[in-house]
């Protein structure tokens, strides 16, 4: 079904608790986004969030969907130039390997690797020369018909932010079929698409992580077939 079919079930504002952001916002949008896209900008991304979305996110990807993530990493200003010689991506791969070796993080991190390896997830990293971090939080779902559900709020892309037993968070939603969309959601979508698709982001440089070191895949015997998850 298209996203517009969610018109009467989505709220303009979610507050967690008592709302369940994953169940009430993310999952219905993923299910309605066949052949669609999910763009997300968040200061912090944790693979643990995948354990909340796993079945719906996997089905979204298997039916032609793709996720694009913009997030941050801590870069010392002295390492700014080195980041663009591969330092930052090497550090990210190192972090992924460390997560695979932790029992509680291994399962969602394996899925993360499979999503990247199957070209269903692109991770883009914003690097600021000041040593500060990208800390915005917004996102949008868009289906194959162009219907869009955009949101902005306080939560990062993490289990703690989306689980009702986690942080106190607020998400505001703006849909393309609403009169206020041009004032809110359209702008959130524009900012994210420019940063992710064209790496246009004032005051920051954007790196792309679109593949995992094959040695990590082999060493940890990670299947890249989504059906295995």
């Amino acid at each position: 079904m298209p996203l517009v079919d969610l018109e009467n079930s989505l709220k303009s504002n979610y507050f967690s608790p008592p709302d369940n952001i994953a169940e009430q916002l993310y999952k219905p949008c993923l299910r309605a986004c066949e052949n669609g896209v999910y763009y997300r900008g968040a200061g912090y991304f944790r693979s643990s969030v995948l354990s909340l979305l796993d079945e719906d996110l996997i089905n979204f990807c298997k039916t032609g969907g793709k996720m694009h993530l913009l997030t941050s990493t801590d870069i010392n200003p002295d390492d700014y130039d080195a980041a663009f010689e591969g330092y930052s991506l090497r550090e990210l791969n190192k972090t992924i390997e460390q997560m695979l070796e932790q029992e509680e993080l291994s399962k969602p991190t394996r899925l993360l690797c499979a999503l990247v390896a199957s070209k269903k997830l692109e991770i883009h990293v914003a690097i600021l020369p000041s040593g500060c971090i990208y800390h915005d939080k917004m996102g949008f779902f868009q289906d194959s018909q162009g219907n869009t559900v955009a949101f902005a709020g306080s939560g990062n892309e993490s289990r703690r932010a989306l689980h009702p037993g986690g942080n106190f968070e607020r998400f505001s939603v703006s849909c393309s079929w609403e009169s206020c969309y041009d004032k809110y959601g359209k702008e959130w979508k524009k900012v994210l698409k420019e940063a992710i698709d064209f790496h246009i982001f004032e005051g920051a440089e954007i790196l792309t992580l679109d593949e995992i070191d094959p040695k990590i895949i082999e060493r940890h015997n990670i299947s890249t077939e989504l059906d295995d998850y």
Side-chain angles (χ1 to χ4, degrees), residues 7-220:
E7 180 177 7
N8 296 321
S9 59
L10 293 178
K11 302 198 300 183
S12 297
N13 290 283
Y14 292 86
F15 297 89
S16 177
D19 293 323
N20 186 323
I21 306 297
E23 294 290 337
Q24 295 173 247
L25 176 61
Y26 275 56
K27 289 188 175 185
C29 288
L30 287 169
R31 289 194 288 265
C33 253
E34 186 172 331
N35 288 313
V37 292
Y38 170 41
Y39 279 66
R40 179 67 155 115
Y44 295 100
F45 168 73
R46 299 290 181 263
S47 65
S48 58
V49 72
L50 301 179
S51 63
L52 287 179
L53 308 174
D54 53 3
E55 183 176 350
D56 291 290
L57 179 60
I58 291 168
N59 287 335
F60 162 75
C61 292
K62 287 171 60 177
T63 55
K66 185 170 182 177
M67 180 178 175
H68 304 261
L69 172 72
L70 175 65
T71 189
S72 65
T73 187
D74 294 327
I75 294 289
N76 186 299
D78 295 336
D79 293 327
Y80 180 73
D81 291 333
F84 295 96
E85 296 174 1
Y87 164 82
S88 181
L89 298 185
R90 286 198 304 273
E91 288 300 300
L92 284 169
N93 273 298
K94 180 180 176 182
T95 299
I96 286 169
E97 185 138 38
Q98 290 171 343
M99 291 160 62
L100 286 166
E101 292 170 354
Q102 297 180 47
E103 184 176 352
E104 70 276 15
L105 294 178
S106 177
K107 183 178 178 181
T109 305
R110 294 175 76 85
L111 175 56
L112 168 68
C113 291
L115 290 172
V116 174
S118 61
K119 306 300 182 185
K120 292 299 184 179
L121 169 62
E122 285 184 357
I123 301 174
H124 303 263
V125 182
I127 298 178
L128 282 66
S130 63
C132 296
I133 66 169
Y134 168 81
H135 204 248
D136 211 346
K137 292 112 176 176
M138 62 179 71
F140 70 88
F141 300 90
Q142 180 178 302
D143 64 23
S144 58
Q145 300 178 20
N147 300 301
T148 302
V149 174
F151 61 89
S154 61
N156 285 298
E157 195 75 345
S158 66
R159 181 182 178 89
R160 183 173 292 180
L162 300 185
H163 193 280
N167 297 342
F168 283 73
E169 306 284 7
R170 175 191 59 81
F171 284 69
S172 295
V173 177
S174 178
C175 304
S176 58
W177 52 86
E178 298 172 335
S179 59
C180 64
Y181 177 74
D182 284 350
K183 189 179 291 187
Y184 300 106
K186 187 176 181 179
E187 182 64 19
W188 302 337
K189 178 180 176 180
K190 176 177 178 289
V191 169
L192 264 185
K193 278 190 69 68
E194 286 185 348
I196 290 173
D197 291 353
F198 306 108
H199 288 187
I200 298 173
F201 195 93
E202 186 175 353
E205 297 284 352
I206 310 292
L207 290 175
T208 300
L209 176 66
D210 56 4
E211 62 181 49
I212 302 293
D213 186 340
K215 294 178 182 177
I216 294 177
I217 301 291
E218 181 179 354
R219 184 157 46 243
H220 293 272

